[in-house]
Amino acid sequence: MKVLGLDIGFGHTKVVSDGVKMKFPTMIAYAPNDPYAELDVVNIAGMSYVVGRDARFSQFGIEIPTVAELVKYAPVFLRYVTGILGEFDVVVTGLPPNCKAYVPVLKQNLESVASGTQFEILPQGVGILYDVMDKISDEVIIVDIGYNTVDCVVAKEHQGVWKKSQVVTFEGFGVMKCVELMRDILPQSLEFFRNRSASRLLDAFERGYVMLDGEKVALDSFKAEAQRKYGEILMAKIKQELKGDYRAMAQVVIAGGGAYYIDPKQFGSGVYVPQEPEFSQARGYYKCGKEE
């Protein structure tokens, strides 16, 4: 049985399958009508798209600002993956916990390009639980730090069965919040970059520098300060929303791409960060699919 764990995030799409791991920017654009363009094209319902880095600088880019667009264009990302890896018997993916109403639509959309495939759609954060459940205690809070959102899952294990007691999503508290904090403390000499949107600054944030008049300008000190503030803000938000559940839990798991940008010590002593945390969700989806 061939299984795919597919984590379509607002920043990157992560893929895990049998001996395969890959990620690419969650970006699409209409394919240009240029016979000389060397691009991998995805064709769906009479439309042609380019995906990932090929779409990054396209003048025909399609914005994906909300879950509605993510669900609409999910078949394009799946078809892009199957074009590389082949078809799958089972595909497990997920949506933010507060987007349960989109589950039937997402499933129908995905089935439209893979009718012979079995699909399972989990709340984001549950995939991480599948990934780490053999490494954690029997009471845990999963903190999944994504591009736009942070998903928290409070779960407890009893007699070999894990049950969720609370699942919440924090809109606007993902990695982009940290980028915004860095942008706000940039000095006057970098005024040009202070006027850019946070999404356009994301690459510079991840690299740790910008190019200005042909010279590399390090952002390390501004990035470190932003990360410290971001950790404090996120910690306060989690405690506010989860209340006593946070203090009562034996362990906290921090995963998702945003795990690279916080100091685990800010979240207490019993914190576990899985290896390559940005792939934790997709790994868990894959493990879930193998159990089907």
Side-chain angles (χ1 to χ4, degrees):
M1 183 174 66
K2 193 175 178 183
V3 175
L4 173 68
L6 179 66
D7 178 19
I8 307 175
F10 285 102
H12 289 85
T13 294
K14 283 77 66 179
V15 170
V16 172
S17 188
D18 307 309
V20 177
K21 175 186 66 181
M22 58 181 276
K23 73 174 183 177
F24 54 88
T26 305
M27 295 180 178
I28 61 172
Y30 293 113
N33 187 20
D34 182 353
Y36 298 104
E38 296 178 336
L39 302 170
D40 294 325
V41 176
V42 175
N43 296 300
I44 293 181
M47 302 299 296
S48 298
Y49 304 93
V50 291
V51 177
R53 296 193 180 279
D54 286 343
R56 185 184 290 273
F57 300 110
S58 172
Q59 60 180 315
F60 308 113
I62 300 171
E63 292 293 323
I64 305 182
T66 70
V67 170
E69 289 78 22
L70 205 69
V71 168
K72 178 179 179 179
Y73 293 106
V76 179
F77 298 113
L78 176 60
R79 180 65 66 81
Y80 176 74
V81 172
T82 58
I84 298 171
L85 302 179
E87 299 296 327
F88 292 88
D89 301 302
V90 176
V91 173
V92 182
T93 187
L95 285 172
N98 63 348
C99 296
K100 190 175 181 179
Y102 284 99
V103 169
V105 182
L106 175 59
K107 190 172 184 180
Q108 182 179 17
N109 289 353
L110 292 173
E111 288 174 343
S112 71
V113 297
S115 58
T117 299
Q118 176 185 339
F119 289 95
E120 170 125 14
I121 300 169
L122 302 176
Q124 286 177 355
V126 173
I128 296 169
L129 179 60
Y130 270 96
D131 182 41
V132 304
M133 62 173 53
D134 60 341
K135 302 178 179 69
I136 56 176
S137 61
D138 57 1
E139 294 183 342
V140 67
I141 294 176
I142 304 291
V143 181
D144 176 18
I145 307 175
Y147 180 80
N148 283 338
T149 63
V150 173
D151 299 313
C152 289
V153 178
V154 181
K156 299 180 181 181
E157 185 264 337
H158 179 64
Q159 295 182 345
V161 178
W162 282 91
K163 292 186 177 181
K164 306 182 294 293
S165 61
Q166 193 172 358
V167 183
V168 294
T169 297
F170 308 142
E171 300 279 354
F173 278 82
V175 173
M176 296 311 298
K177 169 72 77 175
C178 192
V179 179
E180 290 168 0
L181 290 168
M182 185 191 74
R183 180 187 60 189
D184 291 345
I185 60 176
L186 291 177
Q188 190 69 31
S189 60
L190 296 175
E191 180 72 20
F192 174 76
F193 296 99
R194 292 181 63 180
N195 293 328
R196 286 190 172 185
S197 67
S199 59
R200 290 190 66 193
L201 270 179
L202 179 61
D203 278 349
F205 175 82
E206 291 176 338
R207 291 193 312 264
Y209 67 88
V210 293
M211 297 302 297
L212 184 63
D213 297 329
E215 294 187 10
K216 182 187 292 188
V217 180
L219 299 175
D220 295 344
S221 61
F222 311 116
K223 182 176 176 178
E225 176 66 10
Q227 290 177 207
R228 183 189 63 78
K229 290 181 177 179
Y230 175 61
E232 292 176 354
I233 292 170
L234 182 56
M235 182 74 261
K237 179 66 173 177
I238 292 171
K239 285 184 174 179
Q240 175 189 350
E241 296 295 328
L242 299 186
K243 300 181 172 64
D245 272 344
Y246 189 88
R247 299 188 66 183
M249 283 297 112
Q251 193 163 30
V252 176
V253 174
I254 300 177
Y260 289 111
Y261 304 120
I262 56 92
D263 181 357
K265 294 177 182 177
Q266 290 180 289
F267 290 75
S269 58
V271 176
Y272 176 70
V273 180
Q275 186 178 14
E276 295 185 299
E278 73 273 33
F279 284 101
S280 182
Q281 192 93 261
R283 282 196 303 264
Y285 290 160
Y286 172 74
K287 291 179 180 179
C288 174
K290 295 296 282 187
E291 293 179 1
E292 292 295 320

